[in-house]
Amino acid sequence: MIVLGIESSCDETAAAVVENGEKVLSSIVSSQTDIHHRYGGVVPELASRKHIESIVPVVNEAIQISGKNLSEINGVAVTQGPGLIGCLLVGFSFAKAWAWSRDIPIVGVDHLEGHINSVFICDNPPQFPFVALLVSGGHTSIYHVTSHMQARLMGRTRDDAAGEAFDKVAKMLNLGYPGGKIIDDLAARGDSGKIKFPRSYLDKDGFDFSFSGMKTAVNRYIQNHPNEYNEQAADIAAGFQDAVTDVLCFKLMKAAQEAGCNHIAIVGGVAANKGLREKIRSQAADKNLTLHIPPIEICGDNAAMIAATGFHYLKAGHRLPLDADVYSRIQKK
Ligand code: KG4
Ligand code: ZN
């Protein structure tokens, strides 16, 4: 089955063509970073308008690069939520019209399930069951994943998402938006032992996260060192990244142990973080766990993961009703 995937939940307009849920024939991501960076975050109304401009060219390019004819595409998968309502509606309405005008089946895909299934777009996909750490700009959660369509939430952030904390710290240091990659690159040049920031583990036996305290600690440090913080930016970045990744790593290892899984995965935009990858890779090796991470271009928002997930729903006979709507918040299954 050849599935066209469409994603527009936040500030990326993306389309992809994927064969049998794993072979990516094309994946186009049009990012709006240039529009939003001057505001230090995503402006929903501007994002929706940009999706309207980009959706047709992005879909056309994905189909053209895939090398498939329109008649060879036999399913559509589109992000239904969670995300920004105006943004979701652009991709969702387009996908519905596109599928129904061609009389081919369409399914709605949960963005978070898309991220979890992104780990199957790699050379060594995991075996079920596995434990997945989903770290992105909007979400930070741990799941016990038992099938392509079933993931039990073990814990989630109670305040900021990890990526959001990275973005806010980059903003405090006047480094630009989105800040995750900037902090990551800067941290590589700093010393994580020079400035220590607190780790918030909440309940050490639980799997919930809290990042707002770590972010506030960085803010306090900056305010207490107004003349030095610019020169110390690399050490601040390294210290902050070390604190965040320590907590993420600790909870993931503990979750794998509790769920009795030998396979673990990290997915979402922050899974691109070099410090996080190295830390988890080394601890997984010590504990004899097999680690799976999607390729960097599939960590951030993309439509290949939506098509890959949608494939399993289409195969199982799911179909999007004509009156289906998008949703902004996390849905309980
Ligand atoms: O998954 P994603 O593209 O969008 C959401 O679903 O939120 O994740 C975007 C987030 C942003 O907060 C961005 O700063 C962060 O991922 N990010 C990183 C890195 N690359 C992207 N955070 C830390 N290190 C990175 N290398
Ligand atoms: Zn995402």
Side-chain angles (χ1 to χ4, degrees), residues 7 9-12 14 29 111 115 269 297 299-303 305:
E7 153 67 38
S9 65
C10 189
D11 58 346
E12 263 102 21
V29 180
H111 182 82
H115 274 300
E297 65 277 13
C299 287
D301 287 347
N302 67 88
M305 68 185 194

Side-chain angles (χ1 to χ4, degrees), residues 69-254:
N69 295 323
L70 279 183
S71 59
E72 290 174 282
I73 294 172
N74 40 21
V76 176
V78 60
T79 306
Q80 192 167 3
L84 299 167
I85 287 294
C87 295
L88 287 162
L89 275 173
V90 177
F92 198 67
S93 314
F94 177 91
K96 269 185 185 177
W98 201 90
W100 281 316
S101 66
R102 286 179 172 74
D103 199 22
I104 57 175
I106 175 169
V107 283
V109 170
D110 185 275
H111 182 82
L112 304 180
E113 247 181 57
H115 274 300
I116 295 169
N117 279 303
S118 70
V119 76
F120 290 91
I121 307 174
C122 71
D123 296 337
N124 70 329
Q127 287 161 19
F128 293 114
F130 64 93
V131 169
L133 170 67
L134 162 53
V135 261
S136 73
H139 307 277
T140 299
S141 340
I142 296 187
Y143 296 91
H144 181 219
V145 187
T146 46
S147 85
H148 289 289
M149 297 186 286
Q150 236 142 21
R152 176 176 63 88
L153 183 67
M154 296 179 76
R156 60 191 274 200
T157 182
R158 294 188 192 167
D159 40 59
D160 290 353
E164 190 181 358
F166 271 94
D167 293 338
K168 287 180 180 168
V169 165
K171 196 171 177 181
M172 289 172 205
L173 292 168
N174 305 312
L175 297 172
Y177 173 87
K181 175 142 184 7
I182 304 172
I183 296 279
D184 192 7
D185 293 342
L186 193 59
R189 303 206 301 271
D191 178 351
S192 62
K194 276 214 178 135
I195 306 162
K196 280 274 171 200
F197 292 110
R199 276 83 174 134
S200 38
Y201 289 98
L202 298 173
D203 168 12
K204 270 210 159 189
D205 291 326
F207 302 107
D208 278 358
F209 299 96
S210 169
F211 296 106
S212 71
M214 295 188 218
K215 181 193 70 186
T216 307
V218 175
N219 197 20
R220 205 173 304 123
Y221 185 90
I222 291 173
Q223 283 179 356
N224 291 340
H225 300 81
N227 302 318
E228 301 100 302
Y229 83 86
N230 257 330
E231 274 185 14
Q232 295 176 340
D235 293 333
I236 296 174
F240 168 73
Q241 180 166 297
D242 199 41
V244 171
T245 54
D246 266 0
V247 176
L248 291 172
C249 197
F250 174 83
K251 300 254 172 184
L252 174 60
M253 296 301 150
K254 198 149 175 52

Side-chain angles (χ1 to χ4, degrees), residues 11-41:
D11 58 346
E12 263 102 21
T13 318
V17 178
V18 175
E19 189 169 351
N20 292 334
E22 52 183 33
K23 189 172 174 202
V24 181
L25 303 179
S26 64
S27 175
I28 306 297
V29 180
S30 168
S31 174
Q32 305 179 356
T33 307
D34 288 354
I35 295 166
H36 303 292
H37 87 270
R38 82 187 77 144
Y39 305 102

